[in-house]
Structure formats: C-alpha cells, structure tokens
Short mmCIF file of all heavy atoms in Angstrom, two decimals:
data_model
loop_
_atom_site.label_atom_id
_atom_site.label_comp_id
_atom_site.label_asym_id
_atom_site.label_seq_id
_atom_site.Cartn_x
_atom_site.Cartn_y
_atom_site.Cartn_z
N MET S 28 3.07 0.55 7.99
CA MET S 28 2.07 0.91 8.98
C MET S 28 2.18 2.41 9.22
O MET S 28 3.27 2.96 9.33
CB MET S 28 2.30 0.14 10.27
CG MET S 28 1.43 0.58 11.42
SD MET S 28 1.74 -0.32 12.96
CE MET S 28 0.35 -1.41 12.93
N LYS S 29 1.03 3.03 9.36
CA LYS S 29 1.00 4.47 9.65
C LYS S 29 0.99 4.69 11.17
O LYS S 29 0.54 3.84 11.92
CB LYS S 29 -0.23 5.11 9.02
CG LYS S 29 -0.15 5.09 7.51
CD LYS S 29 -1.27 5.85 6.91
CE LYS S 29 -1.17 5.73 5.41
NZ LYS S 29 -0.90 6.95 4.76
N LEU S 30 1.47 5.83 11.58
CA LEU S 30 1.56 6.15 13.00
C LEU S 30 0.20 6.07 13.68
O LEU S 30 0.08 5.54 14.78
CB LEU S 30 2.18 7.53 13.19
CG LEU S 30 2.33 8.00 14.64
CD1 LEU S 30 3.19 7.03 15.45
CD2 LEU S 30 2.93 9.39 14.68
N ILE S 31 -0.87 6.56 13.05
CA ILE S 31 -2.19 6.54 13.67
C ILE S 31 -2.64 5.11 13.98
O ILE S 31 -3.28 4.86 15.00
CB ILE S 31 -3.25 7.28 12.80
CG1 ILE S 31 -4.58 7.41 13.55
CG2 ILE S 31 -3.45 6.59 11.48
CD1 ILE S 31 -4.53 8.22 14.79
N GLU S 32 -2.28 4.16 13.13
CA GLU S 32 -2.64 2.76 13.37
C GLU S 32 -1.98 2.23 14.63
O GLU S 32 -2.59 1.50 15.40
CB GLU S 32 -2.25 1.90 12.16
CG GLU S 32 -3.02 2.27 10.91
CD GLU S 32 -2.49 1.61 9.66
OE1 GLU S 32 -1.25 1.54 9.50
OE2 GLU S 32 -3.30 1.16 8.86
N LEU S 33 -0.74 2.62 14.85
CA LEU S 33 -0.03 2.22 16.06
C LEU S 33 -0.60 2.90 17.29
O LEU S 33 -0.81 2.27 18.33
CB LEU S 33 1.46 2.53 15.94
CG LEU S 33 2.32 2.16 17.15
CD1 LEU S 33 2.34 0.65 17.33
CD2 LEU S 33 3.71 2.71 17.01
N LEU S 34 -0.92 4.18 17.18
CA LEU S 34 -1.46 4.93 18.31
C LEU S 34 -2.78 4.34 18.80
O LEU S 34 -3.08 4.38 20.00
CB LEU S 34 -1.64 6.40 17.95
CG LEU S 34 -0.37 7.18 17.64
CD1 LEU S 34 -0.71 8.59 17.18
CD2 LEU S 34 0.56 7.21 18.84
N LEU S 35 -3.57 3.80 17.89
CA LEU S 35 -4.87 3.25 18.26
C LEU S 35 -4.77 1.94 19.05
O LEU S 35 -5.72 1.58 19.74
CB LEU S 35 -5.71 3.02 17.00
CG LEU S 35 -6.16 4.29 16.28
CD1 LEU S 35 -6.84 3.94 14.96
CD2 LEU S 35 -7.07 5.14 17.16
N ILE S 36 -3.64 1.26 18.97
CA ILE S 36 -3.53 -0.04 19.64
C ILE S 36 -2.51 -0.09 20.78
O ILE S 36 -2.37 -1.11 21.44
CB ILE S 36 -3.21 -1.16 18.63
CG1 ILE S 36 -1.89 -0.91 17.92
CG2 ILE S 36 -4.35 -1.33 17.64
CD1 ILE S 36 -1.40 -2.06 17.08
N THR S 37 -1.80 1.00 21.03
CA THR S 37 -0.79 0.99 22.10
C THR S 37 -1.37 1.52 23.41
O THR S 37 -2.33 2.28 23.43
CB THR S 37 0.43 1.84 21.72
OG1 THR S 37 0.02 3.14 21.37
CG2 THR S 37 1.20 1.21 20.58
N SER S 38 -0.74 1.14 24.48
CA SER S 38 -1.16 1.55 25.81
C SER S 38 -0.88 3.03 26.04
O SER S 38 0.19 3.54 25.69
CB SER S 38 -0.42 0.73 26.86
OG SER S 38 -0.65 1.24 28.15
N GLU S 39 -1.81 3.71 26.67
CA GLU S 39 -1.60 5.11 27.04
C GLU S 39 -0.79 5.24 28.32
O GLU S 39 -0.48 6.35 28.75
CB GLU S 39 -2.94 5.80 27.22
CG GLU S 39 -3.74 5.92 25.95
CD GLU S 39 -5.06 6.64 26.16
OE1 GLU S 39 -5.26 7.26 27.23
OE2 GLU S 39 -5.89 6.59 25.25
N HIS S 40 -0.44 4.13 28.92
CA HIS S 40 0.28 4.14 30.19
C HIS S 40 1.80 4.03 30.01
O HIS S 40 2.52 3.90 30.99
CB HIS S 40 -0.22 3.01 31.08
CG HIS S 40 -1.69 3.11 31.34
ND1 HIS S 40 -2.26 4.07 32.13
CD2 HIS S 40 -2.72 2.38 30.85
CE1 HIS S 40 -3.57 3.92 32.16
NE2 HIS S 40 -3.87 2.91 31.38
N ARG S 41 2.25 4.08 28.77
CA ARG S 41 3.69 4.05 28.50
C ARG S 41 4.07 5.29 27.71
O ARG S 41 3.30 5.79 26.91
CB ARG S 41 4.06 2.81 27.68
CG ARG S 41 3.81 1.53 28.45
CD ARG S 41 4.03 0.35 27.58
NE ARG S 41 5.39 -0.12 27.74
CZ ARG S 41 5.92 -1.07 27.02
NH1 ARG S 41 5.22 -1.65 26.06
NH2 ARG S 41 7.15 -1.47 27.22
N ASN S 42 5.24 5.77 27.97
CA ASN S 42 5.74 6.92 27.21
C ASN S 42 6.04 6.50 25.78
O ASN S 42 6.45 5.37 25.53
CB ASN S 42 7.00 7.48 27.85
CG ASN S 42 6.73 8.08 29.21
OD1 ASN S 42 5.62 8.47 29.52
ND2 ASN S 42 7.76 8.16 30.03
N MET S 43 5.82 7.42 24.85
CA MET S 43 6.11 7.16 23.45
C MET S 43 6.92 8.31 22.89
O MET S 43 6.57 9.48 23.10
CB MET S 43 4.82 7.00 22.65
CG MET S 43 5.07 6.67 21.19
SD MET S 43 3.56 6.39 20.24
CE MET S 43 3.01 4.86 20.95
N TYR S 44 7.98 7.98 22.20
CA TYR S 44 8.86 8.97 21.58
C TYR S 44 8.86 8.73 20.08
O TYR S 44 9.07 7.61 19.63
CB TYR S 44 10.27 8.86 22.15
CG TYR S 44 10.30 9.07 23.64
CD1 TYR S 44 10.23 8.00 24.52
CD2 TYR S 44 10.33 10.36 24.17
CE1 TYR S 44 10.21 8.20 25.89
CE2 TYR S 44 10.32 10.56 25.53
CZ TYR S 44 10.26 9.48 26.39
OH TYR S 44 10.22 9.69 27.74
N ILE S 45 8.63 9.79 19.33
CA ILE S 45 8.60 9.70 17.87
C ILE S 45 9.90 10.30 17.34
O ILE S 45 10.22 11.45 17.63
CB ILE S 45 7.39 10.48 17.29
CG1 ILE S 45 6.09 10.09 18.00
CG2 ILE S 45 7.30 10.27 15.78
CD1 ILE S 45 5.71 8.63 17.91
N TRP S 46 10.62 9.50 16.57
CA TRP S 46 11.93 9.88 16.06
C TRP S 46 11.89 10.09 14.55
O TRP S 46 11.18 9.37 13.84
CB TRP S 46 12.94 8.77 16.33
CG TRP S 46 13.25 8.53 17.77
CD1 TRP S 46 12.49 7.86 18.68
CD2 TRP S 46 14.41 8.96 18.46
NE1 TRP S 46 13.12 7.83 19.90
CE2 TRP S 46 14.30 8.50 19.79
CE3 TRP S 46 15.54 9.68 18.08
CZ2 TRP S 46 15.28 8.74 20.74
CZ3 TRP S 46 16.52 9.91 19.03
CH2 TRP S 46 16.38 9.44 20.35
N GLU S 47 12.68 11.04 14.08
CA GLU S 47 12.93 11.22 12.65
C GLU S 47 14.33 11.77 12.48
O GLU S 47 14.71 12.73 13.16
CB GLU S 47 11.91 12.18 12.03
CG GLU S 47 12.10 12.34 10.53
CD GLU S 47 11.08 13.27 9.92
OE1 GLU S 47 10.76 14.32 10.54
OE2 GLU S 47 10.60 12.96 8.84
N ASN S 48 15.09 11.15 11.61
CA ASN S 48 16.46 11.58 11.33
C ASN S 48 17.31 11.72 12.59
O ASN S 48 18.06 12.67 12.75
CB ASN S 48 16.48 12.90 10.55
CG ASN S 48 15.87 12.77 9.18
OD1 ASN S 48 16.04 11.75 8.52
ND2 ASN S 48 15.15 13.78 8.75
N GLY S 49 17.16 10.78 13.52
CA GLY S 49 17.98 10.76 14.72
C GLY S 49 17.58 11.73 15.81
O GLY S 49 18.30 11.89 16.79
N GLU S 50 16.42 12.40 15.66
CA GLU S 50 15.95 13.36 16.66
C GLU S 50 14.52 13.04 17.09
O GLU S 50 13.71 12.60 16.27
CB GLU S 50 15.96 14.78 16.09
CG GLU S 50 17.33 15.32 15.80
CD GLU S 50 17.26 16.76 15.32
OE1 GLU S 50 16.42 17.53 15.83
OE2 GLU S 50 18.05 17.11 14.43
N ILE S 51 14.23 13.28 18.36
CA ILE S 51 12.86 13.14 18.84
C ILE S 51 12.08 14.36 18.36
O ILE S 51 12.44 15.49 18.66
CB ILE S 51 12.80 13.04 20.37
CG1 ILE S 51 13.50 11.77 20.84
CG2 ILE S 51 11.35 13.07 20.86
CD1 ILE S 51 13.64 11.64 22.34
N ILE S 52 11.01 14.10 17.59
CA ILE S 52 10.21 15.21 17.05
C ILE S 52 8.88 15.35 17.77
O ILE S 52 8.19 16.36 17.60
CB ILE S 52 10.00 15.07 15.53
CG1 ILE S 52 9.25 13.79 15.19
CG2 ILE S 52 11.32 15.17 14.80
CD1 ILE S 52 8.77 13.73 13.75
N ALA S 53 8.51 14.35 18.57
CA ALA S 53 7.27 14.41 19.34
C ALA S 53 7.33 13.36 20.44
O ALA S 53 8.11 12.40 20.35
CB ALA S 53 6.05 14.18 18.46
N GLN S 54 6.51 13.57 21.48
CA GLN S 54 6.46 12.58 22.54
C GLN S 54 5.10 12.60 23.22
O GLN S 54 4.41 13.61 23.21
CB GLN S 54 7.55 12.79 23.56
CG GLN S 54 7.41 14.05 24.38
CD GLN S 54 8.58 14.23 25.33
OE1 GLN S 54 9.67 13.75 25.07
NE2 GLN S 54 8.34 14.92 26.42
N TYR S 55 4.73 11.45 23.76
CA TYR S 55 3.54 11.35 24.58
C TYR S 55 3.98 10.84 25.94
O TYR S 55 4.61 9.79 26.03
CB TYR S 55 2.52 10.39 23.97
CG TYR S 55 1.34 10.17 24.91
CD1 TYR S 55 0.34 11.13 24.98
CD2 TYR S 55 1.28 9.08 25.75
CE1 TYR S 55 -0.72 10.97 25.87
CE2 TYR S 55 0.24 8.92 26.63
CZ TYR S 55 -0.76 9.86 26.69
OH TYR S 55 -1.79 9.71 27.57
N ASP S 56 3.66 11.58 26.98
CA ASP S 56 4.08 11.19 28.33
C ASP S 56 2.95 11.37 29.34
O ASP S 56 3.19 11.53 30.52
CB ASP S 56 5.31 11.98 28.76
CG ASP S 56 5.07 13.48 28.77
OD1 ASP S 56 3.92 13.92 28.62
OD2 ASP S 56 6.05 14.21 28.94
N GLY S 57 1.72 11.33 28.87
CA GLY S 57 0.58 11.55 29.75
C GLY S 57 0.14 13.01 29.78
O GLY S 57 -0.98 13.30 30.13
N ARG S 58 1.02 13.91 29.41
CA ARG S 58 0.70 15.34 29.36
C ARG S 58 0.82 15.86 27.94
O ARG S 58 -0.10 16.49 27.43
CB ARG S 58 1.63 16.14 30.27
CG ARG S 58 1.42 15.89 31.73
CD ARG S 58 2.49 16.59 32.50
NE ARG S 58 3.76 15.92 32.13
CZ ARG S 58 4.91 16.17 32.67
NH1 ARG S 58 5.03 17.09 33.57
NH2 ARG S 58 5.98 15.51 32.32
N ASP S 59 1.95 15.63 27.32
CA ASP S 59 2.18 16.10 25.95
C ASP S 59 1.56 15.10 24.98
O ASP S 59 1.59 13.90 25.20
CB ASP S 59 3.68 16.21 25.65
CG ASP S 59 4.34 17.27 26.52
OD1 ASP S 59 3.69 18.30 26.78
OD2 ASP S 59 5.48 17.04 26.95
N SER S 60 0.99 15.61 23.90
CA SER S 60 0.39 14.73 22.90
C SER S 60 1.20 14.78 21.62
O SER S 60 2.00 15.68 21.40
CB SER S 60 -1.06 15.10 22.65
OG SER S 60 -1.15 16.41 22.15
N ILE S 61 0.95 13.81 20.76
CA ILE S 61 1.62 13.74 19.47
C ILE S 61 0.80 14.56 18.47
O ILE S 61 -0.41 14.36 18.37
CB ILE S 61 1.77 12.27 19.05
CG1 ILE S 61 2.69 11.57 20.05
CG2 ILE S 61 2.32 12.18 17.63
CD1 ILE S 61 2.76 10.09 19.91
N PRO S 62 1.42 15.47 17.75
CA PRO S 62 0.69 16.31 16.80
C PRO S 62 -0.06 15.48 15.74
O PRO S 62 0.49 14.51 15.21
CB PRO S 62 1.78 17.16 16.14
CG PRO S 62 2.92 17.12 17.10
CD PRO S 62 2.84 15.80 17.78
N GLU S 63 -1.28 15.87 15.46
CA GLU S 63 -2.11 15.16 14.49
C GLU S 63 -1.50 15.11 13.10
O GLU S 63 -1.76 14.17 12.35
CB GLU S 63 -3.50 15.78 14.42
CG GLU S 63 -4.34 15.48 15.63
CD GLU S 63 -5.75 16.03 15.50
OE1 GLU S 63 -6.21 16.26 14.36
OE2 GLU S 63 -6.39 16.22 16.54
N GLU S 64 -0.70 16.09 12.75
CA GLU S 64 -0.11 16.10 11.40
C GLU S 64 0.86 14.94 11.18
O GLU S 64 1.23 14.66 10.04
CB GLU S 64 0.56 17.43 11.08
CG GLU S 64 1.67 17.83 11.99
CD GLU S 64 1.24 18.77 13.12
OE1 GLU S 64 0.03 18.92 13.38
OE2 GLU S 64 2.13 19.36 13.74
N LEU S 65 1.25 14.25 12.23
CA LEU S 65 2.13 13.08 12.08
C LEU S 65 1.35 11.79 11.87
O LEU S 65 1.94 10.75 11.54
CB LEU S 65 3.02 12.93 13.32
CG LEU S 65 4.00 14.07 13.59
CD1 LEU S 65 4.75 13.82 14.89
CD2 LEU S 65 4.96 14.25 12.43
N ASN S 66 0.04 11.80 12.04
CA ASN S 66 -0.77 10.59 11.99
C ASN S 66 -0.59 9.76 10.72
O ASN S 66 -0.61 8.53 10.78
CB ASN S 66 -2.25 10.91 12.16
CG ASN S 66 -2.60 11.23 13.59
OD1 ASN S 66 -1.82 11.02 14.51
ND2 ASN S 66 -3.79 11.77 13.78
N ASP S 67 -0.43 10.38 9.57
CA ASP S 67 -0.33 9.65 8.31
C ASP S 67 1.09 9.26 7.93
O ASP S 67 1.31 8.68 6.87
CB ASP S 67 -0.94 10.47 7.17
CG ASP S 67 -2.46 10.49 7.26
OD1 ASP S 67 -3.05 9.52 7.78
OD2 ASP S 67 -3.06 11.48 6.80
N ARG S 68 2.04 9.53 8.79
CA ARG S 68 3.44 9.19 8.51
C ARG S 68 3.66 7.70 8.64
O ARG S 68 3.09 7.03 9.50
CB ARG S 68 4.37 9.95 9.46
CG ARG S 68 4.33 11.47 9.31
CD ARG S 68 5.01 11.95 8.05
NE ARG S 68 6.38 11.49 7.97
CZ ARG S 68 7.40 12.09 8.58
NH1 ARG S 68 7.22 13.19 9.28
NH2 ARG S 68 8.61 11.59 8.47
N GLU S 69 4.52 7.17 7.79
CA GLU S 69 4.84 5.75 7.78
C GLU S 69 5.94 5.44 8.81
O GLU S 69 6.89 6.21 8.97
CB GLU S 69 5.33 5.31 6.40
CG GLU S 69 4.24 5.32 5.34
CD GLU S 69 3.25 4.18 5.49
OE1 GLU S 69 3.60 3.11 6.03
OE2 GLU S 69 2.10 4.37 5.06
N ILE S 70 5.78 4.32 9.47
CA ILE S 70 6.72 3.88 10.50
C ILE S 70 7.77 2.97 9.87
O ILE S 70 7.45 2.08 9.09
CB ILE S 70 5.98 3.12 11.61
CG1 ILE S 70 5.03 4.07 12.34
CG2 ILE S 70 6.97 2.47 12.58
CD1 ILE S 70 4.13 3.38 13.34
N GLU S 71 9.02 3.20 10.24
CA GLU S 71 10.12 2.35 9.80
C GLU S 71 10.40 1.25 10.82
O GLU S 71 10.62 0.09 10.47
CB GLU S 71 11.38 3.19 9.59
CG GLU S 71 12.57 2.39 9.15
CD GLU S 71 13.77 3.27 8.87
OE1 GLU S 71 13.72 4.49 9.11
OE2 GLU S 71 14.79 2.71 8.44
N LEU S 72 10.36 1.61 12.13
CA LEU S 72 10.76 0.69 13.18
C LEU S 72 10.09 1.10 14.48
O LEU S 72 9.92 2.29 14.75
CB LEU S 72 12.29 0.75 13.35
CG LEU S 72 12.91 -0.02 14.49
CD1 LEU S 72 12.89 -1.51 14.20
CD2 LEU S 72 14.33 0.45 14.73
N VAL S 73 9.74 0.10 15.29
CA VAL S 73 9.23 0.35 16.64
C VAL S 73 10.08 -0.44 17.61
O VAL S 73 10.26 -1.65 17.45
CB VAL S 73 7.75 -0.07 16.79
CG1 VAL S 73 7.28 0.13 18.22
CG2 VAL S 73 6.87 0.69 15.83
N ASP S 74 10.61 0.23 18.61
CA ASP S 74 11.38 -0.41 19.68
C ASP S 74 10.58 -0.23 20.96
O ASP S 74 10.40 0.89 21.43
CB ASP S 74 12.75 0.25 19.80
CG ASP S 74 13.58 -0.33 20.93
OD1 ASP S 74 13.14 -1.28 21.60
OD2 ASP S 74 14.68 0.19 21.17
N CYS S 75 10.09 -1.33 21.51
CA CYS S 75 9.26 -1.22 22.72
C CYS S 75 9.93 -1.91 23.90
O CYS S 75 9.25 -2.43 24.78
CB CYS S 75 7.86 -1.74 22.46
SG CYS S 75 7.79 -3.40 21.82
N SER S 76 11.23 -1.88 23.95
CA SER S 76 11.94 -2.43 25.10
C SER S 76 11.88 -1.44 26.25
O SER S 76 11.81 -0.23 26.06
CB SER S 76 13.39 -2.75 24.73
OG SER S 76 14.05 -1.60 24.29
N GLY S 77 11.87 -1.95 27.45
CA GLY S 77 11.82 -1.07 28.61
C GLY S 77 10.42 -0.52 28.83
O GLY S 77 9.43 -1.11 28.46
N ASP S 78 10.36 0.67 29.40
CA ASP S 78 9.09 1.30 29.74
C ASP S 78 8.52 2.18 28.65
O ASP S 78 7.47 2.78 28.83
CB ASP S 78 9.25 2.16 31.00
CG ASP S 78 9.52 1.33 32.24
OD1 ASP S 78 9.40 0.10 32.17
OD2 ASP S 78 9.84 1.93 33.27
N SER S 79 9.19 2.32 27.53
CA SER S 79 8.80 3.28 26.52
C SER S 79 8.72 2.66 25.13
O SER S 79 9.38 1.67 24.85
CB SER S 79 9.80 4.43 26.46
OG SER S 79 9.91 5.06 27.70
N PHE S 80 7.91 3.29 24.29
CA PHE S 80 7.89 2.98 22.87
C PHE S 80 8.75 4.02 22.16
O PHE S 80 8.57 5.22 22.38
CB PHE S 80 6.47 3.08 22.29
CG PHE S 80 5.56 1.97 22.67
CD1 PHE S 80 4.63 2.14 23.69
CD2 PHE S 80 5.60 0.75 22.02
CE1 PHE S 80 3.77 1.13 24.04
CE2 PHE S 80 4.74 -0.27 22.36
CZ PHE S 80 3.82 -0.08 23.38
N HIS S 81 9.64 3.56 21.33
CA HIS S 81 10.42 4.46 20.47
C HIS S 81 10.02 4.13 19.05
O HIS S 81 10.23 3.02 18.58
CB HIS S 81 11.92 4.27 20.69
CG HIS S 81 12.36 4.70 22.04
ND1 HIS S 81 12.80 5.98 22.30
CD2 HIS S 81 12.41 4.04 23.23
CE1 HIS S 81 13.11 6.09 23.58
NE2 HIS S 81 12.86 4.93 24.16
N VAL S 82 9.38 5.10 18.39
CA VAL S 82 8.84 4.91 17.06
C VAL S 82 9.67 5.73 16.08
O VAL S 82 9.80 6.95 16.24
CB VAL S 82 7.35 5.34 16.99
CG1 VAL S 82 6.80 5.14 15.60
CG2 VAL S 82 6.54 4.59 18.04
N TYR S 83 10.23 5.05 15.09
CA TYR S 83 11.09 5.71 14.12
C TYR S 83 10.32 5.83 12.81
O TYR S 83 9.88 4.84 12.24
CB TYR S 83 12.37 4.90 13.92
CG TYR S 83 13.18 4.80 15.19
CD1 TYR S 83 12.91 3.81 16.13
CD2 TYR S 83 14.16 5.74 15.48
CE1 TYR S 83 13.62 3.73 17.31
CE2 TYR S 83 14.88 5.66 16.67
CZ TYR S 83 14.61 4.66 17.58
OH TYR S 83 15.30 4.59 18.76
N LEU S 84 10.14 7.07 12.36
CA LEU S 84 9.41 7.34 11.13
C LEU S 84 10.33 7.30 9.92
O LEU S 84 11.53 7.62 10.03
CB LEU S 84 8.75 8.71 11.19
CG LEU S 84 7.75 8.94 12.34
CD1 LEU S 84 7.23 10.37 12.29
CD2 LEU S 84 6.63 7.94 12.29
N ILE S 85 9.77 6.94 8.79
CA ILE S 85 10.52 7.03 7.54
C ILE S 85 10.68 8.50 7.20
O ILE S 85 9.70 9.25 7.22
CB ILE S 85 9.77 6.28 6.41
CG1 ILE S 85 9.72 4.77 6.76
CG2 ILE S 85 10.43 6.52 5.06
CD1 ILE S 85 8.87 3.95 5.82
N ALA S 86 11.89 8.91 6.94
CA ALA S 86 12.18 10.33 6.66
C ALA S 86 11.49 10.76 5.39
O ALA S 86 11.41 10.01 4.41
CB ALA S 86 13.67 10.56 6.56
N GLU S 87 10.99 11.97 5.40
CA GLU S 87 10.34 12.54 4.21
C GLU S 87 11.35 13.17 3.31
O GLU S 87 12.32 13.69 3.66
CB GLU S 87 9.29 13.57 4.62
CG GLU S 87 8.12 12.96 5.30
CD GLU S 87 6.96 13.94 5.47
OE1 GLU S 87 7.20 15.11 5.79
OE2 GLU S 87 5.83 13.50 5.28
#
C-alpha cells in the first residue's frame, strides 16, 4: 500500500507520524502536513494504537 492510499482513508483528527529507518521523517498534527513527495512511498507497517497513527515506510 502506498502512503497516499492510507492518507485518503484515515481520520484528520488523529496525529500521524511517518517513520523511516527508526526516525520520524514527517508528521501531521493538524498544523504540519506530510510532504507530497512521500505520497508514492510504500508502507511496511501501520500501528494505530492509542491516539496516533505510526506509519513505517519501506526504506529506500
């Protein structure tokens, strides 16, 4: 699944953190947006426990 596909179906009322290689590379928190250049990246894992989505991308 690509990141854009997930972004289109997730709630905008939860924080989302995008991870790559053990680091947060982007986040959405109602103010900050996720850079468009990440839209075509493939997702390895999504953890949606708690109040936030943690999205782990496959490393390039």
Side-chain angles (χ1 to χ4, degrees):
M28 172 181 257
K29 293 187 183 245
L30 180 58
I31 187 63
E32 296 170 319
L33 180 65
L34 295 175
L35 292 173
I36 61 171
T37 55
S38 171
E39 294 181 12
H40 302 289
R41 295 174 94 187
N42 293 337
M43 182 177 291
Y44 301 94
I45 310 300
W46 294 78
E47 182 179 40
N48 295 323
E50 293 183 37
I51 296 173
I52 61 169
Q54 67 183 27
Y55 174 79
D56 59 10
R58 291 173 294 186
D59 296 323
S60 61
I61 296 170
E63 287 184 22
E64 60 264 15
L65 297 177
N66 285 348
D67 287 331
R68 297 287 304 277
E69 291 287 332
I70 295 173
E71 179 176 5
L72 174 73
V73 177
D74 177 4
C75 54
S76 59
D78 292 350
S79 302
F80 286 100
H81 293 268
V82 180
Y83 298 86
L84 301 178
I85 295 173
E87 291 191 320

